Amino acid sequence: QEAGGITQHIGAYLVEKGSRRVTFIDTPGHQAFTEMRARGANVTDIAVIVVAADDGPMPQTEEAIHHARAAGVKLVVALNKVDRADANPQRAKEALAQLGLMPTEWHGDTEFVEVSAVTGQGLDDLLEILNLEAEILELKADYDRPALGVVLEAGASASQGVLATVLVQQGTLRVGDYVVCGASYGRVRNLLLNAATPIAEATPSLPVTIVGLNSVPSPATKLYVFENEKQARQVAAEREWQMHESQRSQQVARAFPTTREGLLDALSRKGKEKPELRLILRGDVQGTVETLRHSVEQLSTDEIKVSVLHWGVGAISQDDVNLAHSDPERTIIVGYNVNADERARVLAEEYGVEIRYYTVIYKAIEDIHAILEGRLEPEIVEEVRGHAEIRQIYKSSRVGNIAGCIVSDGVITRSDKVRLKRAGRVIFTGDLSSLKRFKDDVRDVREGYECGIKIAGFDAIEPGDVVEAFALVEKKRTL
């Protein structure tokens, strides 16, 4: 149901089947969301690799398998779209076997389940397989301790403030607990199951949305419970200071390199400032904004640089426009699933700051890629337009020697540059001072026609010489 028909956010959902409960962490399949898939693999016990039976595995499927293996979790394959007429589960299994996922019916150790998200075929079988794998793994958690969890995603709402989706891994999280997530802290005002149903407490494996944090935490940060607000605030403040110190140290290291390699790199860059596209990114949730930031930063090349000046969650604000106004020719504001507030829109129009809105990540990446290509210095290429053979020389005391020619191929244009060739060697390169047909000045002369040519600044022409006309053309370059 997301824009573009692709998953662009990480989601967490609780499914109940009889007395069993399964929490699904849903990660995007698009190639841009590598980090989200890695994050999902690291918080799960079993990874379900979803592969379309009509297409087979994609490059990001292989990447997801690597993430799951690196996290040490059990893999199960769901072959989706088996209801389609062109589905070929056998071919998909063979392709996955090449990636090391051998089906159990082929004496391998990977369970394959054929499913259809449209008809519901095989979904009960999938849940049964997951329950069986969970029993074999003997998964256990301690309920009687302060909660420990991990932030899956975070954002902000105008009505509720900061919202963080958290997976509880140990202990029990309750309304009223004081929590710390990275440099964010607060008192849990509300717990929402499946982002909608209020609950009083969350036990291990429950995905819940927390309302009450003071700022938007980064995905993958751990959640800890503290006895009181003073402790939570102090720990969060220390972490924020450490983050700022780390960032400052990195900035100083870049500005004042101390290693030989760093100094050589700095000297090589000195005086070679390359074109730069500056971006301010705003989005609905932290994880997708991070993904967009990493994706656009990777578009930088040796010739043009992408710099993300600022990025964050929430509507585009007046502060964002003021920041872009410092260099509006090189700075663009990108809104990803968010809009600009009224003051920001008015100010952007007044300052001439460009704001672009997107709901699909690959559209944003494609557009930024196109902008970068448009800012590359064009390549100057030579295009040969035609040749003319000199048949006769006409001497003029007023203008000098005029070449009586016949165009042997192509076209000779008055604005062209020319090379004079004699016996295959170039003896002069310059411009035309005149191009005539009989006594009339003309713009061009085509193949098979006679013409009079005067080469600017050069009179040492001879019968049999060849005039080669060419133009220097700007060619758009690509990244």
Side-chain angles (χ1 to χ4, degrees):
Q1 296 176 354
E2 292 191 55
I6 61 169
T7 303
Q8 301 182 87
H9 299 76
I10 195 167
Y13 314 96
L14 179 68
V15 174
E16 295 193 41
K17 177 72 174 173
S19 61
R20 301 280 191 172
R21 299 191 311 183
V22 182
T23 294
F24 286 94
I25 311 298
D26 181 22
T27 60
H30 188 270
Q31 60 186 10
F33 294 96
T34 296
E35 214 168 295
M36 278 195 190
R37 285 192 288 278
R39 196 158 69 238
N42 285 325
V43 298
T44 54
D45 301 302
I46 303 169
V48 181
I49 307 297
V50 183
V51 178
D54 58 338
D55 282 335
M58 298 293 172
Q60 52 265 39
T61 308
E62 185 173 0
E63 173 210 282
I65 293 168
H66 291 325
H67 288 319
R69 284 175 172 158
V73 300
K74 179 68 178 178
L75 284 88
V76 171
V77 174
L79 289 177
N80 191 27
K81 301 184 182 180
V82 294
D83 58 301
R84 290 177 60 107
D86 56 347
N88 191 334
Q90 187 72 12
R91 185 179 61 196
K93 288 179 182 180
E94 290 171 359
L96 286 162
Q98 295 296 317
L99 298 178
L101 298 185
M102 189 67 69
T104 52
E105 69 255 36
W106 297 355
H107 307 292
D109 60 357
T110 304
E111 292 287 352
F112 279 63
V113 186
E114 297 183 10
V115 302
S116 167
V118 173
T119 67
Q121 174 187 339
L123 296 185
D124 285 343
D125 295 335
L126 177 61
L127 289 173
E128 287 300 322
I129 290 293
L130 294 178
N131 283 327
L132 177 61
E133 295 288 354
E135 287 178 3
I136 294 171
L137 292 171
E138 296 183 340
L139 303 174
K140 293 186 171 77
D142 184 359
Y143 283 48
D144 299 321
R145 54 154 291 171
L148 174 67
V150 62
V151 176
L152 299 177
E153 192 55 278
S157 161
S159 58
Q160 294 177 291
V162 175
L163 302 173
T165 301
V166 173
L167 180 68
V168 178
Q169 296 173 305
Q170 296 287 339
T172 301
L173 181 65
R174 298 178 175 86
V175 171
D177 282 347
Y178 293 98
V179 297
V180 172
C181 304
S184 304
Y185 77 96
R187 184 172 181 267
V188 179
R189 294 203 311 267
N190 285 309
L191 288 173
L192 303 175
L193 181 62
N194 289 346
T197 307
I199 57 175
E201 61 180 31
T203 51
S205 86
L206 277 189
V208 288
T209 301
I210 294 177
V211 181
L213 294 176
N214 71 321
S215 62
V216 179
S218 296
T221 53
K222 290 287 187 178
L223 173 140
Y224 299 94
V225 173
F226 289 82
E227 290 184 3
N228 52 58
E229 184 179 6
K230 182 179 178 181
Q231 284 184 349
R233 186 170 59 244
Q234 182 178 350
V235 170
E238 288 175 358
R239 289 183 175 180
E240 187 171 14
W241 180 83
Q242 289 170 356
M243 286 169 54
H244 288 163
E245 281 297 296
S246 175
Q247 291 170 358
R248 192 175 69 85
S249 298
Q250 292 172 7
Q251 291 169 353
V252 169
R254 285 195 296 268
F256 304 101
T258 56
T259 65
R260 179 177 179 274
E261 291 77 12
L263 288 168
L264 289 173
D265 182 55
L267 288 170
S268 68
R269 293 197 312 267
K270 191 175 181 181
K272 297 180 181 178
E273 185 177 356
K274 56 188 176 184
E276 182 180 19
L277 174 64
R278 298 178 175 181
L279 299 174
I280 296 168
L281 306 179
R282 283 282 181 180
D284 54 345
V285 292
Q286 195 87 325
T288 46
V289 180
E290 281 186 1
T291 296
L292 181 58
R293 178 173 68 94
H294 293 153
S295 296
V296 298
E297 285 178 340
Q298 288 172 7
L299 296 176
S300 292
T301 68
D302 292 337
E303 294 183 69
I304 190 164
K305 178 182 178 184
V306 179
S307 296
V308 178
L309 301 181
H310 177 70
W311 61 282
V313 172
I316 296 165
S317 68
Q318 196 170 343
D319 289 340
D320 297 324
V321 177
N322 283 326
L323 178 58
H325 179 50
S326 62
D327 192 354
E329 290 186 0
R330 293 195 295 175
T331 308
I332 296 173
I333 300 175
V334 174
Y336 180 50
N337 286 320
V338 296
N339 292 312
D341 60 39
E342 184 61 30
R343 289 181 301 171
R345 281 197 296 271
V346 172
L347 199 62
E349 188 173 340
E350 180 184 337
Y351 287 164
V353 170
E354 184 178 1
I355 301 177
R356 296 188 174 213
Y357 302 100
Y358 299 94
T359 56
V360 179
I361 190 168
Y362 62 79
K363 291 290 186 186
I365 296 169
E366 286 172 1
D367 270 12
I368 292 166
H369 186 274
I371 293 168
L372 291 174
E373 288 188 335
R375 297 192 179 190
L376 288 174
E377 289 292 327
E379 181 182 0
I380 306 299
V381 297
E382 180 185 294
E383 286 186 1
V384 175
R385 299 289 179 81
H387 296 86
E389 182 184 345
I390 299 177
R391 298 287 180 86
Q392 193 170 351
I393 309 298
Y394 299 96
K395 297 183 183 293
S396 169
S397 58
R398 186 170 60 87
V399 298
N401 292 343
I402 299 170
C405 306
I406 186 165
V407 180
S408 55
D409 63 79
V411 60
I412 308 295
T413 303
R414 172 67 182 79
S415 58
D416 287 340
K417 289 188 168 297
V418 292
R419 272 188 289 264
L420 189 69
K421 292 183 175 182
R422 184 173 296 158
R425 290 176 54 245
V426 176
I427 61 173
F428 181 79
T429 301
D431 299 306
L432 291 176
S433 63
S434 69
L435 179 65
K436 293 179 179 287
R437 280 274 296 153
F438 303 108
K439 292 184 179 181
D440 299 325
D441 289 314
V442 293
R443 189 177 66 84
D444 58 52
V445 180
R446 299 188 174 276
E447 181 180 342
Y449 287 92
E450 295 178 346
C451 61
I453 290 175
K454 176 68 180 79
I455 299 175
F458 190 78
D459 277 342
I461 55 177
E462 297 178 2
D465 289 348
V466 174
V467 178
E468 182 176 72
F470 67 94
L472 298 177
V473 180
E474 289 187 354
K475 184 180 179 183
K476 185 179 178 181
R477 295 170 57 218
T478 58
L479 291 173

